[in-house]
Amino acid sequence: MLRALHALDESATEVAKYFDKNVRKVVPTLGWEQEYFLVDKALADARPDITLTGRTLLGHASAKGQQLEDHYFGSIPSRVLSYMRDLEVECMLLGIPVKTRHNEVAPNQFELAPIFEEVNLAVDHNSLLMDVMQKVAERHNFRVLLHEKPFAGVNGSGKHNNWSMATDTGVNLLSPGKTPMSNLQFLTFFINTIKAVHNHEELVRASIASASNDHRLGANEAPPAIISIFIGDQLTKVLKELEGVSDGKLSPEEKTELKLNVVGKIPEIMLDNTDRNRTSPFAFTGNKFEFRAVGSSANCANPMITLNTIMAKQLKDFKAEVDRLVEQGMKKDDAIFNVLREYIKETRDILFEGDGYSDEWAAEAKRRGLSNNKTTPAALKAKVSKKAQELFAEMGVMNHVEVEARYEIEVEEYVKKIQIEGRVLGDIARNHVIPTAIRYQNMLIENVKGLKTIFEDDFKTIGKEQISLIREISEHIAGINSKVEAMTEERKKANTIEHAADRADAYCNHVKPFFDDIRYHCDKLELLVDDELWTLAKYRELLFTR
């Protein structure tokens, strides 16, 4: 992280001096938004899956979920507010400048956010915060769930990383100014950020890859796995006008038109024009870029190392191109405009304003050549590509050994998490769900026997529904047993694979698919079995207990 910040400081400072010779340092800034769920500790402790994996591996949706959005727009529950206040006091004692607190969309989901800080400090504060959250929750008999998708059918949790750059002269480099020159500075860093993400979109996707975030990306509240950038209609129009600038040296008339009617008007169009397209993984939101695809349980360091490194590389290349044109006799402003115009042409494919969830966008993204790595094993491969290794080495951030070591650790972590989830799911299905279903089935059998004794020949008609229910329960029990056995066999096969990446692929493609099949049968039994017999806390209890 420190190496990436140093690399960006060096590259960004050199570019910033085009506009202000007094700049001596550029500091990347970060403001994270931490989303989380709060559930009653006693209820969470009654769920082995929450205890061991941080999420519910089974559970039928509650009749009421987030349809009304009444939690999002409602007041903070008093018990939760007491927790939040206690947490904020602890944060202030530790120097974590938390500022925002509010409900999120899903029931029992909340968010807090700090004042912007220098990236390295912000990363440390977020890591510390996640530990403090759990400790404070214990005092209030809560369990904090930081998993990206702890409950199926309702929103998951992210950690939006709001990123920008500031000079030691007090200027936000991603914020328009009051003069054409300061706006040209804004456009320079704005367009270079787009170019950096465009050139390294696979690596950006890899930086937020994890087994838990795979459940969230592409769901109804999170960006898709396709990395694209949203900048809004007004800034799109500005880029198109800049793209139309003639090649080479600008005429006095062109320069005046550009400065007054394009660059000069940026502050006006930026006013109250921030993005509300929640399907965008990387969006410009006024004076910063918001990296929305980061997961709630993630360490911000991973995406920040990647983002700052690719930006450092891009600004280094930009300065080299501009200086080359200046050496050839072109004025500095003309050279900057010429290079930026070419960047705009080259980065059209990464810009997208529409619905990121649509099938049409997936097809369009493929046509544009953008990656769509939906799973962690597929996404992580970009980290050890020749392109990525050369990037990190050139910028002095990591050598090939350091890159490969991190890759192997992340792959191994993925395998172990899926392995643990598979074991826990099999245990719950066979030791909780099936015995409970059989107990209820035995009650039904006794009921049918009684009906036969009383009604004799008519019992088949009178006991028709009970008999049908007995048969249905048996079918789901058989389904669970067969799928658990098949999953266990696939897990055994995967464990024999020596190469870590191949083992991760096996767990992803051959073990994990059984999770949904097993869950289907378990969730059906939850609806059939007597509520008093069901041993696991249900969604309606976990999500709506105040």
Side-chain angles (χ1 to χ4, degrees):
M1 170 62 78
L2 293 176
R3 294 173 191 164
L5 298 180
H6 177 69
L8 180 60
D9 175 24
E10 286 191 334
S11 297
T13 298
E14 290 302 309
V15 174
K17 284 181 177 179
Y18 282 148
F19 310 97
D20 183 356
K21 298 289 185 183
N22 296 316
V23 175
R24 294 290 179 268
K25 186 175 181 61
V26 172
V27 177
T29 61
L30 170 64
W32 39 261
E33 302 169 31
Q34 181 69 60
E35 295 178 347
Y36 61 99
F37 280 84
L38 278 179
V39 296
D40 186 85
K41 186 177 184 299
L43 293 173
D45 288 343
R47 295 282 310 223
D49 47 357
I50 292 179
T51 302
L52 298 176
T53 71
R55 74 180 182 104
T56 56
L57 297 175
L58 53 85
H60 198 279
S62 170
K64 179 186 177 184
Q66 63 186 53
Q67 306 97 315
L68 300 175
E69 296 186 324
D70 51 341
H71 177 70
Y72 193 37
F73 296 106
S75 60
I76 299 174
S78 57
R79 183 181 169 193
V80 175
L81 186 58
S82 176
Y83 163 77
M84 288 180 168
R85 286 172 174 164
D86 199 359
L87 175 62
E88 288 165 0
V89 169
E90 293 292 338
C91 287
M92 289 303 173
L93 291 173
L94 292 166
I96 305 173
V98 292
K99 177 183 179 183
T100 304
R101 64 172 182 230
H102 63 79
N103 293 348
E104 261 300 333
V105 179
N108 279 15
Q109 187 186 28
F110 307 93
E111 179 183 297
L112 79 160
I115 298 170
F116 278 60
E117 301 178 285
E118 185 270 325
V119 165
N120 194 46
L121 183 59
V123 170
D124 285 350
H125 278 165
N126 183 252
S127 297
L128 182 59
L129 171 88
M130 291 192 286
D131 186 47
V132 174
M133 289 173 74
Q134 299 287 3
K135 292 180 178 179
V136 175
E138 290 178 6
R139 302 179 201 163
H140 296 263
N141 293 313
F142 276 131
R143 176 70 60 83
V144 175
L145 302 184
L146 293 174
H147 192 285
E148 282 75 3
K149 196 76 172 178
F151 301 99
V154 298
N155 280 12
S157 298
K159 184 183 294 178
H160 298 181
N161 278 207
N162 296 281
W163 174 87
S164 189
M165 295 163 286
T167 67
D168 59 346
T169 59
V171 175
N172 180 350
L173 294 172
L174 288 177
S175 181
K178 296 180 180 179
T179 66
M181 179 57 73
S182 60
N183 289 334
L184 179 56
Q185 176 178 265
F186 157 73
L187 283 172
T188 296
F189 285 91
F190 174 72
I191 294 169
N192 271 284
T193 304
I194 296 172
K195 175 71 169 166
V197 176
H198 173 269
N199 289 353
H200 301 279
E201 48 93 11
E202 279 198 281
L203 187 59
V204 171
R205 165 66 180 96
S207 73
I208 47 93
S210 69
S212 52
N213 209 22
D214 282 356
H215 294 285
R216 170 178 166 265
L217 293 179
N220 290 334
E221 79 293 344
I226 304 167
I227 298 298
S228 65
I229 300 177
F230 181 100
I231 62 173
D233 293 339
Q234 298 286 2
L235 281 171
T236 298
K237 183 179 179 182
V238 170
L239 296 192
K240 286 182 178 178
E241 290 177 347
L242 285 173
E243 187 180 346
V245 174
S246 59
D247 291 342
K249 185 177 179 181
L250 299 175
S251 69
E253 294 79 11
E254 284 179 318
K255 189 174 290 187
T256 300
E257 170 70 16
L258 192 63
K259 288 185 175 180
L260 292 180
N261 296 324
V262 180
V263 179
K265 289 186 177 181
I266 289 176
E268 298 174 28
I269 67 172
M270 292 290 291
L271 184 64
D272 196 27
N273 188 43
T274 56
D275 164 49
R276 299 305 298 170
N277 183 345
R278 311 315 291 175
T279 70
S280 176
F282 200 87
F284 186 71
T285 54
N287 58 4
K288 61 192 181 299
F289 278 95
E290 186 175 358
F291 192 6
R292 293 192 179 126
V294 182
S296 55
S297 68
N299 187 318
C300 298
N302 215 341
M304 285 297 104
I305 290 170
T306 297
L307 185 55
N308 286 297
T309 302
I310 65 174
M311 191 61 181
K313 164 66 173 169
Q314 177 52 44
L315 290 172
K316 178 183 176 182
D317 292 347
F318 170 77
K319 185 176 188 301
E321 292 186 61
V322 171
D323 288 350
R324 184 169 60 252
L325 292 177
V326 171
E327 289 171 2
Q328 293 172 1
M330 191 177 291
K331 288 187 177 180
K332 181 184 69 177
D333 286 3
D334 293 343
I336 291 173
F337 275 124
N338 272 271
V339 175
L340 292 181
R341 187 192 64 250
E342 292 305 312
Y343 285 176
I344 294 169
K345 292 178 181 178
E346 294 168 6
T347 58
R348 293 189 192 119
D349 288 340
I350 201 75
L351 300 178
F352 180 65
E353 312 291 309
D355 180 7
Y357 300 151
S358 67
D359 294 335
E360 291 79 10
W361 167 232
E364 172 65 14
K366 184 177 181 180
R367 187 191 65 77
R368 295 185 185 191
L370 300 178
S371 65
N372 186 9
N373 296 319
K374 295 182 179 181
T375 66
T376 291
L380 287 178
K381 288 179 172 62
K383 284 198 169 187
V384 286
S385 66
K386 182 180 179 182
K387 181 179 178 181
Q389 298 213 32
E390 289 176 349
L391 165 72
F392 286 119
E394 179 185 345
M395 303 316 298
V397 176
M398 286 184 279
N399 60 37
H400 75 94
V401 175
E402 292 171 310
V403 172
E404 290 167 2
R406 282 160 175 77
Y407 169 74
E408 288 186 15
I409 290 169
E410 290 185 68
V411 168
E412 183 179 356
E413 181 184 34
Y414 177 85
V415 168
K416 288 182 176 178
K417 284 190 173 181
I418 302 301
Q419 184 183 77
I420 290 169
E421 287 191 351
R423 287 175 173 170
V424 172
L425 180 57
D427 173 51
I428 295 175
R430 283 183 156 171
N431 295 330
H432 289 256
V433 175
I434 290 179
T436 302
I438 291 175
R439 192 176 301 120
Y440 182 57
Q441 192 179 48
N442 287 337
M443 292 171 63
L444 292 174
I445 291 171
E446 290 300 318
N447 177 262
V448 171
K449 287 179 179 178
L451 291 176
K452 184 176 182 180
T453 300
I454 295 171
F455 297 102
E456 297 182 349
D457 294 340
D458 292 334
F459 92 94
K460 287 187 178 180
T461 301
I462 296 172
K464 179 182 178 182
E465 294 303 322
Q466 290 92 324
I467 294 171
S468 175
L469 190 54
I470 291 169
R471 183 176 291 110
E472 190 174 356
I473 290 172
S474 292
E475 290 171 356
H476 288 304
I477 289 173
I480 291 172
N481 269 325
S482 64
K483 296 299 182 182
V484 169
E485 288 173 2
M487 176 184 69
T488 303
E489 286 304 311
E490 288 297 335
R491 201 167 64 232
K492 289 178 180 177
K493 291 178 185 177
N495 290 338
T496 63
I497 299 174
E498 186 174 347
H499 193 266
D502 293 337
R503 188 162 61 252
D505 286 335
Y507 264 94
C508 178
N509 300 318
H510 301 296
V511 177
K512 189 179 174 184
F514 284 104
F515 291 8
D516 288 339
D517 296 334
I518 296 168
R519 180 174 192 149
Y520 169 79
H521 292 291
C522 291
D523 289 356
K524 287 296 183 181
L525 286 174
E526 181 182 323
L527 292 179
L528 299 176
V529 172
D530 186 344
D531 185 64
E532 291 187 5
L533 298 179
W534 197 254
T535 60
L536 302 170
K538 297 184 177 182
Y539 271 28
R540 66 168 183 261
E541 297 157 346
L542 290 165
L543 290 171
F544 293 96
T545 301
R546 294 291 181 258

